[in-house]
């Protein structure tokens, strides 16, 4: 092999290196590494919070709120036939998006199962979790999350046939000897066992892996009582109660407390304030009678100072939070006040505010918001 | 039964060898029943008992399915959710384009591969009788109205008549199988225009008109177009098949099938938002640089009198590309596509001496390089461009389309991996044997769901900063690696069935090891393991339902929780699960039927 051939080899390798180097320079680090995986980085789970940065800034930069919901909870977050997600929880996602981004539709819903929801909050996969999640001490303190104000006060109740002598005034003491059907492995099971023991009655507990068989049992008589959260029972009663029967729900004070509300990453008070005050704003708007229909009139002629401030006339309260002055105007205009959100989603399944814990504070309920000033 | 099968086998054998089947003495159903069902007292009792059990089961099942209080509306209203989840309505035409591409490929393939199977009148008559029997069972056991039963009875009688005519008058009639398949599809699609599916018809005595949003309204036109696309593609293929070389046509079509999935998903369904400024500033220049400089290097390397130097240069390029790849991990800022292109160029350069020779061959080699480069760069560009499909979640597909995507991507990826693993495990080189064996045994020792959860939750922690693997892609990766291990064992079974004489004969002819493997061993080995391979395909397809466990919105999840979670359809879980099971069954049953055809074509079990 002559000298000249070695020069040729060298030249070929040089050309190859030059090619590599030239292309290397034209590259930028922005799409580094996104080539082989297949899934683009932009649309999935990138919401890593920088040190000191708030989720609020992330959301504003992204232009979209990533909201964790269930996607299969009747009236709270349902996936409709066309794929859209509707419901009480979904509407609160839209309310937050309206407040932060001015557009109630700028939401990317992430449907989460019960087991993965907390991981999703902790890892920043979702900005906020509004997935009928009960606020408890251990969840609040243990797992790296904070809870926002309760949007729905739920609680475990029992449902039985009126023909068996039950009425809405019945208590746990009346269910002695009854066959009680529940879903296996949930707190529901534990609650009813404890309540029965406390009332000194013996029950025959029948557990099912799925919820449909529980209510089939109530229909065909193999169960005397079905028990789960009141919101679930009402939905079943409306949809599945046979025409010739009447099902009653009791006791009027639920045997457990299940306050449901938004959940977010802990120690981010800027973001927490935004979520909390979005919820509070819907409650105040309900209290003051401002609806999506009259929001424009009220903004033009505010009846009092609080409404003027909330609707953005004197908007430094909102701008101090890092929102636009008309953030809450957008919420009520595009999504509605608490009563509108509640009635739209929960009335169709037979859940009404009157007389429940979700009624206005002025009417004996628990829906109460701090003043906006 | 046995006699019938024997007879059919005669027909099949006659097809193969072109001989006339021996005359079958005619006998009626009474003779058949006496010989097969009531041949002795014991078998008579068994027949009656089995019949009663089967009828009782079907009566219960049909009574449940057609019961008046079944909420089949839940399925009918949610069909779109079932098949494509939240794919937006204004972009829905993309779904049909994606299906249409597959249909066109199917039509072309049927023409190019000359699908010329024929079905005899005798067999068709049998099918017609079977259909009539199914209808009769349905109308006898289902809780239908009398009017509906009458209509079903009339249809069944028509089929019996057709069957009788074909069997007794034209048993030797031969119809192209393709025509029968297309005809059946045409009847099914045509029925969309007439029958208002989605509301089980005739139950309360009257036909329900289709309402907006029911199955027929949204599917009849698209499916008609799809069928026409397939037929037109077939005739186009028929027209051109004699004008092009069959090797080229088959090669192009095979490449088309390989590319179907990435093109359908990344280009058509994801609708990437291309930034043309970026494309012309970055992507096109990178491609041109590699096309021009790469071609020059390859042209130089494939020169016939290059000799050993060519191999040295190619080897150096492989090392260089590897170093470059690793350097990126240590912070060298470079586009991923550049690194991929460099590795590709180096690998192609290794093959250069094989193409050394005449200018025509070298030119083909260079053209091949540019085409592959263009494809890879185009797909990488599409993959990296964000999607514009506006869905509530992050992934554009869900439901059945996700199930299908995961299953087909898994099959496409696991086949080559499994093949390599099987060859590695039977190889004489200890390192490869050890690696393959370890891999197979480790993967087979871990439950699939564990692997899926690992890939979904843990894999992202190992990836470099900024690279994120979506849940769906992570699942596909997990499935592929898992099923590759099983596939490798199946293929190994085939490899072991090849006798030593085959290797020795190949060696005697002077074939190298790669040549022996690819031309002598693998074709025989794969042919021997078609049944377990098809079992693997079916298993993989059904295993996609585990996507539900790791929280993805696959077909099962939609039926299991999502539809039952709609206010209107509370308590409809059983109907939804039945529907899901039915669709799974249709798919797996068609796979298994087509594998029977494949086995017949390969002559399995006959030689």
């Amino acid at each position: 092999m002559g000298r000249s051939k070695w020069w040729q080899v060298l030249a070929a390798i040089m050309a190859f290196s030059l090619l590599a180097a030239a292309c290397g320079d034209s590259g930028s680090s922005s799409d580094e590494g996104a080539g082989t995986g297949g899934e683009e980085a932009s649309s999935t789970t990138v919401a890593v919070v920088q040190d000191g940065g708030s989720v609020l800034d992330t959301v504003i930069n992204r232009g979209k709120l990533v909201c964790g919901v269930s996607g299969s909870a009747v009236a709270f977050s349902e996936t409709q036939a066309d794929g859209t997600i509707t419901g009480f929880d979904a509407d609160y996602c839209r309310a937050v998006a309206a407040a932060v981004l001015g557009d109630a539709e700028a939401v990317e819903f992430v449907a989460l199962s019960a087991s993965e929801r907390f991981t999703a909050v902790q890892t920043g996969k979702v900005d906020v979790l509004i997935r009928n999640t009960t606020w408890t001490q251990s969840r609040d303190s243990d797992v790296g999350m904070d809870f926002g104000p309760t949007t729905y006060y739920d609680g475990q109740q029992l449902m039985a046939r009126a023909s068996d002598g039950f009425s809405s005034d019945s208590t746990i003491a009346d269910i002695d000897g009854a066959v009680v059907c529940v879903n296996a492995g949930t707190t529901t099971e534990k609650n009813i066992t404890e309540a029965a023991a406390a009332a000194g009655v013996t029950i025959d507990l029948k557990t099912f892996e799925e919820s449909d068989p529980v209510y089939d049992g109530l229909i065909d008589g193999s169960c005397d009582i079905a028990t789960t959260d009141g919101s679930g029972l009402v939905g079943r009663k409306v949809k599945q109660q046979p025409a010739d029967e009447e099902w009653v729900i009791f006791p009027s004070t639920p045997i457990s407390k299940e306050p449901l509300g938004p959940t977010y990453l802990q120690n981010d008070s800027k973001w927490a304030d935004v979520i909390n005050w979005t919820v509070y704003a819907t409650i105040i708007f309900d209290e003051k009678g401002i609806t999506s229909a009259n929001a424009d009139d009220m903004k033009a002629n505010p009846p009092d100072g609080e409404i003027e401030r909330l609707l953005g006339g004197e908007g430094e309260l909102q701008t101090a939070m890092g929102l636009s002055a008309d953030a809450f105007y957008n919420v009520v205009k595009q999504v509605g006040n608490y009563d509108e959100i509640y009635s739209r989603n929960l009335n169709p399944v037979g859940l009404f505010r009157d007389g429940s814990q979700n009624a206005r504070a002025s009417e004996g309920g628990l829906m109460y918001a701090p003043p906006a000033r | 039964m046995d006699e019938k099968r024997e007879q059919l086998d005669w027909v099949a054998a006659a097809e193969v060898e072109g001989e006339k089947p021996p005359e079958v003495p005619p006998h009626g159903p009474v003779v058949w029943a006496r010989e097969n069902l009531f041949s002795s007292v014991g078998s008579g009792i068994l027949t009656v008992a089995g019949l009663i059990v089967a009828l009782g089961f079907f009566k219960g099942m049909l009574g449940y399915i057609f019961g008046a209080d079944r909420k089949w509306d839940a399925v009918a209203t949610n069909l779109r959710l079932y098949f494509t989840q939240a794919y937006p309505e204004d972009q829905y035409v993309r779904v049909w384009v994606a299906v249409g591409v597959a249909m066109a490929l199917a039509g072309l393939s049927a023409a190019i591969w000359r699908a010329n199977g024929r079905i005899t009148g005798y067999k068709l008559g049998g099918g017609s009788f079977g259909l009539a029997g199914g209808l009769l069972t349905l109308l006898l056991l289902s809780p239908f109205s009398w009017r509906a039963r009458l209509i079903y009875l009339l249809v069944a009688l028509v089929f019996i008549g057709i069957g009788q005519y074909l069997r007794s008058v034209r048993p030797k009639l031969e119809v192209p199988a393709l025509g029968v398949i297309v005809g059946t599809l045409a009847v099914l699609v045509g029925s969309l225009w007439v029958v208002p599916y989605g509301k089980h018809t005739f139950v309360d005595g009257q036909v329900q008109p289709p309402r907006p949003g029911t199955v027929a309204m949204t599917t009849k036109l698209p499916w008609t177009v799809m069928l026409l696309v397939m037929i037109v593609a077939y005739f186009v293929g028929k027209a051109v098949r004699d004008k092009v070389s069959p090797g080229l046509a088959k090669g192009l079509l095979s490449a088309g099938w390989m590319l179907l999935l990435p093109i359908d998903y990344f280009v058509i369904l994801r609708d990437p938002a291309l930034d043309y400024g970026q494309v012309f500033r970055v992507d096109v220049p990178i491609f041109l640089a590699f096309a021009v400089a790469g071609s020059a290097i390859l042209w130089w390397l494939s020169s016939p009198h290059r000799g050993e130097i060519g191999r040295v240069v190619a080897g150096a390029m492989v090392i260089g590309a590897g170093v470059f790849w690793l350097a990126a991990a240590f912070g060298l800022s470079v586009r991923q596509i550049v690194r991929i292109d460099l590795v590709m160029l180096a690998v192609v350069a290794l093959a250069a001496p094989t193409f050394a020779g005449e200018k025509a061959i070298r030119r083909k080699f260079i053209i091949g390089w540019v085409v592959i480069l263009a494809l890879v760069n185009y797909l990488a560009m599409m993959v990296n461009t964000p999607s514009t499909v506006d869905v509530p979640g992050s992934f554009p597909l869900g439901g059945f389309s996700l199930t299908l995507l995961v299953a087909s991507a898994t099959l496409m990826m696991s086949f080559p991996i499994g093949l390599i693993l099987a060859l590695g495990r039977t190889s004489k080189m200890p390192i490869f044997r050890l690696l393959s064996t370890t891999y197979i045994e480790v993967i087979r020792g871990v439950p699939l769901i564990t692997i899926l959860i690992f890939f979904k939750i843990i894999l992202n922690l190992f990836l470099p900063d900024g690279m994120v693997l979506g849940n769906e892609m992570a699942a596909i990766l997990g499935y592929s690696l898992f099923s590759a291990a099983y596939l490798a064992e199946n293929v190994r079974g085939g490899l072991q069935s090849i006798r030593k004489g085959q290797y020795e004969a190949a060696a005697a002819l002077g074939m190298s090891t790669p040549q022996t493997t690819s031309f002598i061993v693998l074709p025989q080995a794969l042919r021997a393991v078609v049944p377990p391979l098809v079992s693997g395909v079916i298993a993989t397809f059904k295993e996609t339902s585990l996507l539900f466990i790791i929280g993805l919105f696959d077909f099962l999840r939609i039926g299991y929780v999502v539809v039952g979670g709609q206010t209107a359809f509370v308590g409809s879980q059983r109907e939804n699960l039945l529907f899901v099971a039915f669709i799974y069954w249709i798919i797996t049953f068609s796979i298994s039927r087509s594998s029977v055809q494949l086995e017949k074509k390969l002559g399995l079990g006959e030689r």
Side-chain angles (χ1 to χ4, degrees), chain B residues 106-157:
Chain B
L108 281 175
S109 302
I112 300 290
W113 267 276
R114 295 169 196 269
N116 53 3
R118 292 185 168 270
I119 300 181
T120 57
Y122 191 85
K123 228 174 172 177
L124 268 183
S128 191
F129 280 141
L131 213 60
L135 282 175
L136 286 176
T137 322
L138 200 66
L139 78 92
L140 283 177
L141 300 179
S142 305
F144 289 162
S145 70
W146 286 108
R147 202 193 130 186
R149 283 181 194 190
L150 193 69
I151 294 174
Y152 276 100
L153 183 66
L154 287 177
V155 178
L157 285 178

Side-chain angles (χ1 to χ4, degrees), chain A residues 83-107:
Chain A
T84 54
I85 297 191
T86 62
F88 185 82
D89 286 347
D91 274 352
Y92 266 102
C93 291
R94 295 199 169 90
V96 174
V100 178
L101 303 164
D103 177 10
E105 292 310 312
V107 187

Side-chain angles (χ1 to χ4, degrees), chain A residues 20 24-25 29 32, chain B residues 323-335 339:
Chain A
D25 290 342
S29 60
E32 167 78 346
Chain B
V323 168
F324 207 74
W325 189 284
L326 286 180
F330 293 101
L332 177 65
S333 165
V334 58
R335 284 179 177 274
R339 289 192 270 158

Side-chain angles (χ1 to χ4, degrees), chain B residues 108 114 263 361 491 587:
Chain B
L108 281 175
R114 295 169 196 269
I263 296 281
I361 298 174
V491 174
I587 303 287

Side-chain angles (χ1 to χ4, degrees), chain B residues 224-456:
Chain B
T224 312
V225 174
M226 290 301 113
L227 191 66
L228 288 177
V229 164
M230 192 162 79
I231 294 170
V232 168
Y234 175 76
F235 284 108
V236 168
K238 212 171 173 184
V240 300
R241 72 181 170 193
D242 296 324
K243 297 190 181 95
V244 291
S245 84
L248 179 69
K250 285 179 185 177
L252 281 178
L253 268 181
S254 305
W257 281 110
M258 300 289 279
L259 287 171
L260 173 66
L261 195 65
I263 296 281
D264 258 4
Y265 174 65
F266 287 115
V267 180
I268 299 178
L269 290 173
R270 267 178 81 252
D271 187 17
L274 283 182
D275 171 4
Y276 285 97
Q278 167 88 357
V279 169
F280 286 112
R281 216 170 44 247
V282 180
D283 295 305
V284 173
I286 290 179
F287 165 69
L288 285 178
F290 273 96
V292 173
S295 301
I297 293 177
L298 291 177
W299 185 259
W300 180 79
L301 279 174
S302 61
S303 163
H305 39 77
R306 196 58 57 210
E308 280 308 300
I309 289 184
R311 292 185 198 274
V312 173
V313 173
M317 282 165 68
V318 171
I319 295 169
V323 168
F324 207 74
W325 189 284
L326 286 180
F330 293 101
L332 177 65
S333 165
V334 58
R335 284 179 177 274
Q336 179 91 355
I337 187 64
V338 174
R339 289 192 270 158
I340 295 174
D341 285 351
L342 282 175
V343 170
M344 273 193 345
L345 180 58
V347 170
V348 173
L350 277 181
T354 316
F355 295 90
E358 287 173 31
K359 282 211 163 138
I361 298 174
R362 289 166 73 190
R363 202 173 297 131
K364 267 187 188 166
F365 179 51
I366 301 292
I367 291 173
W369 156 250
V370 174
V371 168
I372 292 176
L373 182 75
L375 267 176
V376 169
N377 280 26
Y378 176 71
L379 277 178
M381 180 177 80
M382 289 306 193
V383 170
N384 280 325
T385 313
S387 165
T388 53
V389 178
D390 189 23
V391 287
S394 59
F395 198 72
L397 297 179
F400 187 73
S401 54
L402 178 65
T403 296
L404 204 60
L405 174 79
V406 171
S408 17
T410 301
L411 291 174
M412 279 184 63
M413 283 166 69
S414 65
F415 194 80
I417 305 176
L419 212 58
I420 291 169
L421 283 172
L423 290 173
R425 199 170 178 177
T426 52
S427 145
K428 288 197 188 70
M429 291 180 271
I431 300 281
F432 288 104
R433 202 169 57 227
L434 191 70
L435 282 177
S436 309
T437 312
T438 316
Y439 175 87
I440 291 172
E441 295 306 334
V442 166
I443 294 284
R444 285 207 306 174
V446 181
L448 173 56
I449 188 68
T450 319
I451 293 179
L452 290 181
I453 292 173
F454 175 86
F455 272 82
K456 187 190 168 200

